[in-house]
Amino acid sequence: MNAWIPVSGLQIAVDGPSGSGKGTIANLLANAIGLPVLDTGLLYRFVGYSAMRGNVTINEEIAILKLLNNCIQDMQWQSGGIFVGGENIADRLRKEDVAAAASCVAAMPEVRKKLLHVQQDIAKNGCVMDGRDIGTVVLPDAQAKFFLTASLRERARRRWAQLQGLGGEVSLEATLNEIRERDRQDAERTHSPLKQAQDAVSIDSTTMRIDEVVERMLAIMARRQLIRAS
Ligand code: DC
């Protein structure tokens, strides 16, 4: 049984840069409250991955859009994953070789527009959603918005540990450089850059344990009567 009961249709937006812990935290929140969870980065990764597999040039927007229109029908979202042909490909999508392609397609306005509808549709009955623009663009009316941060070095360390778990052989320094570059791309792009929503609560998790961050978020939502103990 879940520890908390949400108000009907509760939408929780969790935004932040790569390695801020938002994915892990979104999952823990969703479990505690009994809501579905969507890591929206997986959608951009899915588009980048499909382009890589289909040998579509990654910076040609028209070709990417055509591909997206085709591949989105083959994809199914279920809480915690992206399924193609009945197989959850989330772990494959999270590998480092897909990240750069994802960042490139995420800068394309038409790709964002198309995925915006997919995300809003998924969230309509309540959801925990993590990404970069959830509180600002995808779910501007979400009842709870959080913006997670952590120092670059700590974020690189976390991401590196995660990649080790997925069988990667990349060095910590290379991971740090990639995150720095991705931060720059995500923050500087014209459409939906990474930005804190005005009404989001910001939490710096550099020196906090994951469970402490989750406890703080739950306490904030309980105080606002968005969730109650079961
Ligand atoms: O969080 P992630 O590394 O899995 O995200 C992959 C890419 O997608 C990253 O470059 C940021 C981008 N992204 C985005 O632009 N908007 C989102 N809501 C989620 C991810």
Side-chain angles (χ1 to χ4, degrees):
M1 201 173 71
N2 311 309
W4 298 90
I5 298 170
V7 293
S8 169
L10 177 62
Q11 295 178 332
I12 304 173
V14 183
D15 287 304
S18 190
S20 56
K22 60 187 188 313
T24 310
I25 286 166
N27 272 307
L28 290 169
L29 278 181
N31 265 339
I33 305 176
L35 284 171
V37 58
L38 175 65
D39 166 1
T40 58
L42 284 181
L43 296 176
Y44 294 94
R45 284 171 179 266
F46 175 65
V47 181
Y49 173 72
S50 303
M52 286 161 67
R53 282 185 47 137
N55 282 326
V56 175
T57 311
I58 201 69
N59 49 15
E60 280 186 14
E61 186 162 2
I62 292 175
I64 293 288
L65 260 181
K66 201 166 146 211
L67 170 93
L68 173 56
N69 285 329
N70 292 333
C71 72
I72 203 87
Q73 285 148 15
D74 303 334
M75 179 211 91
Q76 277 177 330
W77 168 80
Q78 276 174 33
S79 187
I82 298 268
F83 288 74
V84 175
E87 186 197 348
N88 188 354
I89 60 166
D91 280 352
R92 178 72 198 87
L93 297 179
R94 288 198 176 100
K95 291 203 171 166
E96 208 47 25
D97 58 341
V98 183
S103 189
C104 189
V105 299
M108 298 175 176
E110 290 300 319
V111 168
R112 301 201 72 86
K113 203 152 111 193
K114 177 104 190 163
L115 292 182
L116 175 66
H117 299 304
V118 174
Q119 294 166 84
Q120 288 176 335
D121 195 50
I122 288 172
K124 64 180 186 287
N125 297 321
C127 169
V128 182
M129 205 170 254
D130 75 86
R132 304 292 194 287
D133 60 343
I134 309 305
T136 49
V137 177
V138 180
L139 304 176
D141 298 326
Q143 297 96 322
K145 297 182 185 178
F146 297 98
F147 193 84
L148 299 176
T149 59
S151 71
L152 175 65
R153 182 150 287 279
E154 174 59 14
R155 290 189 289 118
R157 195 198 58 73
R158 290 176 190 169
R159 182 75 189 127
W160 177 76
Q162 191 185 24
L163 290 171
Q164 299 290 301
L166 293 172
E169 285 174 11
V170 65
S171 72
L172 176 59
E173 223 41 43
T175 307
L176 190 140
N177 288 332
E178 271 169 30
I179 288 196
R180 185 188 284 126
E181 174 55 19
R182 204 125 40 86
D183 278 1
R184 193 189 58 71
Q185 272 185 30
D186 293 339
E188 287 181 3
R189 67 168 178 243
T190 321
H191 297 276
S192 304
L194 172 65
K195 201 171 90 198
Q196 182 178 342
Q198 271 186 342
D199 51 350
V201 176
S202 173
I203 301 178
D204 183 338
S205 70
T206 307
T207 58
M208 288 173 83
R209 288 194 322 267
I210 291 285
D211 59 311
E212 291 172 323
V213 179
V214 172
E215 283 307 315
R216 186 181 295 179
M217 292 162 102
L218 289 169
I220 289 170
M221 289 189 283
R223 218 164 36 237
R224 291 191 194 163
Q225 299 186 336
L226 295 172
I227 55 173
R228 65 181 166 81
S230 68

mmCIF file of all heavy atoms in Angstrom, residues 48-76:
data_model
loop_
_atom_site.group_PDB
_atom_site.id
_atom_site.type_symbol
_atom_site.label_atom_id
_atom_site.label_comp_id
_atom_site.label_asym_id
_atom_site.label_seq_id
_atom_site.Cartn_x
_atom_site.Cartn_y
_atom_site.Cartn_z
ATOM 1 N N GLY A 48 16.092 10.172 -30.687
ATOM 2 C CA GLY A 48 17.512 10.131 -31.065
ATOM 3 C C GLY A 48 17.958 8.708 -31.412
ATOM 4 O O GLY A 48 18.648 8.475 -32.404
ATOM 5 N N TYR A 49 17.513 7.767 -30.609
ATOM 6 C CA TYR A 49 17.856 6.349 -30.798
ATOM 7 C C TYR A 49 17.288 5.827 -32.127
ATOM 8 O O TYR A 49 17.970 5.140 -32.897
ATOM 9 C CB TYR A 49 17.286 5.572 -29.617
ATOM 10 C CG TYR A 49 17.379 4.086 -29.674
ATOM 11 C CD1 TYR A 49 18.590 3.436 -29.521
ATOM 12 C CD2 TYR A 49 16.222 3.311 -29.831
ATOM 13 C CE1 TYR A 49 18.665 2.052 -29.545
ATOM 14 C CE2 TYR A 49 16.278 1.934 -29.846
ATOM 15 C CZ TYR A 49 17.503 1.304 -29.707
ATOM 16 O OH TYR A 49 17.571 -0.060 -29.720
ATOM 17 N N SER A 50 16.050 6.190 -32.408
ATOM 18 C CA SER A 50 15.415 5.730 -33.658
ATOM 19 C C SER A 50 16.156 6.304 -34.856
ATOM 20 O O SER A 50 16.322 5.627 -35.873
ATOM 21 C CB SER A 50 13.941 6.165 -33.710
ATOM 22 O OG SER A 50 13.259 5.670 -32.585
ATOM 23 N N ALA A 51 16.618 7.563 -34.737
ATOM 24 C CA ALA A 51 17.376 8.178 -35.829
ATOM 25 C C ALA A 51 18.701 7.432 -36.028
ATOM 26 O O ALA A 51 19.097 7.132 -37.158
ATOM 27 C CB ALA A 51 17.633 9.646 -35.521
ATOM 28 N N MET A 52 19.366 7.102 -34.915
ATOM 29 C CA MET A 52 20.641 6.384 -35.022
ATOM 30 C C MET A 52 20.435 5.030 -35.705
ATOM 31 O O MET A 52 21.197 4.631 -36.575
ATOM 32 C CB MET A 52 21.239 6.167 -33.619
ATOM 33 C CG MET A 52 21.831 7.428 -33.007
ATOM 34 S SD MET A 52 22.004 7.304 -31.213
ATOM 35 C CE MET A 52 23.241 6.064 -31.040
ATOM 36 N N ARG A 53 19.387 4.356 -35.297
ATOM 37 C CA ARG A 53 19.121 3.019 -35.868
ATOM 38 C C ARG A 53 18.715 3.082 -37.330
ATOM 39 O O ARG A 53 18.998 2.186 -38.103
ATOM 40 C CB ARG A 53 18.024 2.318 -35.066
ATOM 41 C CG ARG A 53 18.586 1.761 -33.785
ATOM 42 C CD ARG A 53 17.602 0.973 -33.021
ATOM 43 N NE ARG A 53 16.870 0.020 -33.830
ATOM 44 C CZ ARG A 53 16.604 -1.221 -33.477
ATOM 45 N NH1 ARG A 53 17.035 -1.655 -32.324
ATOM 46 N NH2 ARG A 53 15.910 -2.003 -34.230
ATOM 47 N N GLY A 54 17.989 4.164 -37.683
ATOM 48 C CA GLY A 54 17.493 4.286 -39.058
ATOM 49 C C GLY A 54 18.456 5.033 -39.956
ATOM 50 O O GLY A 54 18.107 5.367 -41.083
ATOM 51 N N ASN A 55 19.661 5.336 -39.446
ATOM 52 C CA ASN A 55 20.656 6.095 -40.208
ATOM 53 C C ASN A 55 20.125 7.418 -40.727
ATOM 54 O O ASN A 55 20.412 7.828 -41.852
ATOM 55 C CB ASN A 55 21.179 5.266 -41.395
ATOM 56 C CG ASN A 55 22.189 4.247 -40.926
ATOM 57 O OD1 ASN A 55 22.943 4.519 -39.974
ATOM 58 N ND2 ASN A 55 22.178 3.088 -41.550
ATOM 59 N N VAL A 56 19.310 8.086 -39.917
ATOM 60 C CA VAL A 56 18.789 9.403 -40.293
ATOM 61 C C VAL A 56 19.758 10.443 -39.737
ATOM 62 O O VAL A 56 20.148 10.363 -38.564
ATOM 63 C CB VAL A 56 17.371 9.612 -39.691
ATOM 64 C CG1 VAL A 56 16.877 11.020 -39.969
ATOM 65 C CG2 VAL A 56 16.412 8.576 -40.243
ATOM 66 N N THR A 57 20.156 11.399 -40.571
ATOM 67 C CA THR A 57 21.109 12.421 -40.108
ATOM 68 C C THR A 57 20.481 13.208 -38.973
ATOM 69 O O THR A 57 19.379 13.733 -39.102
ATOM 70 C CB THR A 57 21.491 13.366 -41.274
ATOM 71 O OG1 THR A 57 21.830 12.558 -42.375
ATOM 72 C CG2 THR A 57 22.642 14.269 -40.896
ATOM 73 N N ILE A 58 21.230 13.295 -37.881
ATOM 74 C CA ILE A 58 20.637 13.741 -36.624
ATOM 75 C C ILE A 58 20.253 15.226 -36.614
ATOM 76 O O ILE A 58 19.374 15.635 -35.879
ATOM 77 C CB ILE A 58 21.572 13.375 -35.435
ATOM 78 C CG1 ILE A 58 20.793 13.345 -34.131
ATOM 79 C CG2 ILE A 58 22.774 14.279 -35.331
ATOM 80 C CD1 ILE A 58 19.826 12.229 -34.037
ATOM 81 N N ASN A 59 20.884 16.033 -37.468
ATOM 82 C CA ASN A 59 20.519 17.462 -37.421
ATOM 83 C C ASN A 59 19.613 17.910 -38.565
ATOM 84 O O ASN A 59 19.424 19.097 -38.780
ATOM 85 C CB ASN A 59 21.760 18.354 -37.314
ATOM 86 C CG ASN A 59 22.792 17.971 -38.333
ATOM 87 O OD1 ASN A 59 22.464 17.242 -39.275
ATOM 88 N ND2 ASN A 59 24.014 18.425 -38.155
ATOM 89 N N GLU A 60 19.023 16.953 -39.270
ATOM 90 C CA GLU A 60 18.079 17.333 -40.337
ATOM 91 C C GLU A 60 16.660 17.246 -39.808
ATOM 92 O O GLU A 60 16.057 16.180 -39.727
ATOM 93 C CB GLU A 60 18.259 16.411 -41.543
ATOM 94 C CG GLU A 60 19.446 16.839 -42.368
ATOM 95 C CD GLU A 60 19.571 16.050 -43.656
ATOM 96 O OE1 GLU A 60 18.616 15.361 -44.049
ATOM 97 O OE2 GLU A 60 20.660 16.124 -44.245
ATOM 98 N N GLU A 61 16.118 18.405 -39.480
ATOM 99 C CA GLU A 61 14.847 18.445 -38.753
ATOM 100 C C GLU A 61 13.694 17.789 -39.521
ATOM 101 O O GLU A 61 12.877 17.074 -38.932
ATOM 102 C CB GLU A 61 14.503 19.893 -38.385
ATOM 103 C CG GLU A 61 13.276 19.965 -37.513
ATOM 104 C CD GLU A 61 13.125 21.276 -36.764
ATOM 105 O OE1 GLU A 61 13.963 22.172 -36.945
ATOM 106 O OE2 GLU A 61 12.156 21.382 -36.004
ATOM 107 N N ILE A 62 13.641 18.021 -40.823
ATOM 108 C CA ILE A 62 12.506 17.484 -41.593
ATOM 109 C C ILE A 62 12.537 15.948 -41.575
ATOM 110 O O ILE A 62 11.516 15.285 -41.353
ATOM 111 C CB ILE A 62 12.524 18.041 -43.031
ATOM 112 C CG1 ILE A 62 12.224 19.547 -42.945
ATOM 113 C CG2 ILE A 62 11.504 17.332 -43.920
ATOM 114 C CD1 ILE A 62 12.318 20.300 -44.237
ATOM 115 N N ALA A 63 13.738 15.407 -41.766
ATOM 116 C CA ALA A 63 13.875 13.938 -41.756
ATOM 117 C C ALA A 63 13.559 13.376 -40.366
ATOM 118 O O ALA A 63 12.909 12.330 -40.223
ATOM 119 C CB ALA A 63 15.290 13.559 -42.175
ATOM 120 N N ILE A 64 13.971 14.099 -39.331
ATOM 121 C CA ILE A 64 13.715 13.636 -37.955
ATOM 122 C C ILE A 64 12.211 13.644 -37.665
ATOM 123 O O ILE A 64 11.667 12.725 -37.048
ATOM 124 C CB ILE A 64 14.471 14.526 -36.929
ATOM 125 C CG1 ILE A 64 15.983 14.359 -37.066
ATOM 126 C CG2 ILE A 64 14.031 14.241 -35.492
ATOM 127 C CD1 ILE A 64 16.544 13.043 -36.585
ATOM 128 N N LEU A 65 11.540 14.683 -38.160
ATOM 129 C CA LEU A 65 10.088 14.770 -37.919
ATOM 130 C C LEU A 65 9.336 13.636 -38.599
ATOM 131 O O LEU A 65 8.420 13.050 -38.028
ATOM 132 C CB LEU A 65 9.572 16.089 -38.474
ATOM 133 C CG LEU A 65 9.374 17.181 -37.446
ATOM 134 C CD1 LEU A 65 8.851 18.427 -38.105
ATOM 135 C CD2 LEU A 65 8.417 16.724 -36.329
ATOM 136 N N LYS A 66 9.763 13.338 -39.802
ATOM 137 C CA LYS A 66 9.132 12.244 -40.548
ATOM 138 C C LYS A 66 9.326 10.935 -39.775
ATOM 139 O O LYS A 66 8.382 10.157 -39.572
ATOM 140 C CB LYS A 66 9.785 12.159 -41.937
ATOM 141 C CG LYS A 66 8.945 11.455 -42.946
ATOM 142 C CD LYS A 66 9.467 11.702 -44.337
ATOM 143 C CE LYS A 66 9.218 10.439 -45.164
ATOM 144 N NZ LYS A 66 10.204 10.225 -46.180
ATOM 145 N N LEU A 67 10.541 10.742 -39.315
ATOM 146 C CA LEU A 67 10.865 9.547 -38.532
ATOM 147 C C LEU A 67 10.014 9.498 -37.260
ATOM 148 O O LEU A 67 9.454 8.462 -36.901
ATOM 149 C CB LEU A 67 12.351 9.593 -38.173
ATOM 150 C CG LEU A 67 12.832 8.567 -37.168
ATOM 151 C CD1 LEU A 67 13.357 7.346 -37.921
ATOM 152 C CD2 LEU A 67 13.927 9.117 -36.293
ATOM 153 N N LEU A 68 9.896 10.643 -36.599
ATOM 154 C CA LEU A 68 9.133 10.709 -35.343
ATOM 155 C C LEU A 68 7.680 10.305 -35.579
ATOM 156 O O LEU A 68 7.107 9.528 -34.813
ATOM 157 C CB LEU A 68 9.227 12.129 -34.760
ATOM 158 C CG LEU A 68 8.369 12.456 -33.545
ATOM 159 C CD1 LEU A 68 8.635 11.502 -32.405
ATOM 160 C CD2 LEU A 68 8.635 13.887 -33.067
ATOM 161 N N ASN A 69 7.096 10.826 -36.657
ATOM 162 C CA ASN A 69 5.707 10.490 -36.966
ATOM 163 C C ASN A 69 5.524 8.992 -37.147
ATOM 164 O O ASN A 69 4.510 8.426 -36.764
ATOM 165 C CB ASN A 69 5.242 11.226 -38.232
ATOM 166 C CG ASN A 69 4.985 12.687 -37.908
ATOM 167 O OD1 ASN A 69 4.601 13.021 -36.787
ATOM 168 N ND2 ASN A 69 5.240 13.563 -38.864
ATOM 169 N N ASN A 70 6.533 8.353 -37.724
ATOM 170 C CA ASN A 70 6.442 6.898 -37.916
ATOM 171 C C ASN A 70 6.705 6.135 -36.633
ATOM 172 O O ASN A 70 5.950 5.243 -36.258
ATOM 173 C CB ASN A 70 7.445 6.432 -38.983
ATOM 174 C CG ASN A 70 7.061 6.948 -40.349
ATOM 175 O OD1 ASN A 70 5.883 7.191 -40.608
ATOM 176 N ND2 ASN A 70 8.043 7.149 -41.199
ATOM 177 N N CYS A 71 7.792 6.522 -35.930
ATOM 178 C CA CYS A 71 8.223 5.663 -34.808
ATOM 179 C C CYS A 71 7.364 5.852 -33.554
ATOM 180 O O CYS A 71 7.293 4.957 -32.719
ATOM 181 C CB CYS A 71 9.708 5.839 -34.503
ATOM 182 S SG CYS A 71 10.161 7.376 -33.735
ATOM 183 N N ILE A 72 6.678 6.993 -33.429
ATOM 184 C CA ILE A 72 5.893 7.236 -32.223
ATOM 185 C C ILE A 72 4.733 6.229 -32.112
ATOM 186 O O ILE A 72 4.294 5.868 -31.025
ATOM 187 C CB ILE A 72 5.385 8.704 -32.169
ATOM 188 C CG1 ILE A 72 5.089 9.127 -30.748
ATOM 189 C CG2 ILE A 72 4.178 8.947 -33.053
ATOM 190 C CD1 ILE A 72 6.258 9.663 -30.015
ATOM 191 N N GLN A 73 4.280 5.747 -33.268
ATOM 192 C CA GLN A 73 3.184 4.764 -33.248
ATOM 193 C C GLN A 73 3.643 3.397 -32.741
ATOM 194 O O GLN A 73 2.851 2.605 -32.245
ATOM 195 C CB GLN A 73 2.603 4.606 -34.655
ATOM 196 C CG GLN A 73 1.749 5.792 -35.035
ATOM 197 C CD GLN A 73 1.804 6.083 -36.525
ATOM 198 O OE1 GLN A 73 2.243 5.249 -37.309
ATOM 199 N NE2 GLN A 73 1.360 7.270 -36.909
ATOM 200 N N ASP A 74 4.934 3.124 -32.911
ATOM 201 C CA ASP A 74 5.456 1.813 -32.479
ATOM 202 C C ASP A 74 5.756 1.803 -30.980
ATOM 203 O O ASP A 74 6.057 0.775 -30.408
ATOM 204 C CB ASP A 74 6.783 1.492 -33.192
ATOM 205 C CG ASP A 74 6.625 1.521 -34.692
ATOM 206 O OD1 ASP A 74 5.496 1.286 -35.136
ATOM 207 O OD2 ASP A 74 7.622 1.794 -35.387
ATOM 208 N N MET A 75 5.725 2.988 -30.390
ATOM 209 C CA MET A 75 6.168 3.120 -28.995
ATOM 210 C C MET A 75 4.975 3.131 -28.041
ATOM 211 O O MET A 75 3.954 3.710 -28.346
ATOM 212 C CB MET A 75 6.920 4.459 -28.895
ATOM 213 C CG MET A 75 7.418 4.777 -27.535
ATOM 214 S SD MET A 75 7.418 6.571 -27.314
ATOM 215 C CE MET A 75 5.802 6.845 -26.622
ATOM 216 N N GLN A 76 5.148 2.453 -26.921
ATOM 217 C CA GLN A 76 4.105 2.528 -25.892
ATOM 218 C C GLN A 76 4.736 2.960 -24.597
ATOM 219 O O GLN A 76 5.821 2.481 -24.243
ATOM 220 C CB GLN A 76 3.473 1.164 -25.699
ATOM 221 C CG GLN A 76 2.412 0.878 -26.715
ATOM 222 C CD GLN A 76 1.881 -0.513 -26.513
ATOM 223 O OE1 GLN A 76 2.606 -1.405 -26.051
ATOM 224 N NE2 GLN A 76 0.632 -0.709 -26.837
#
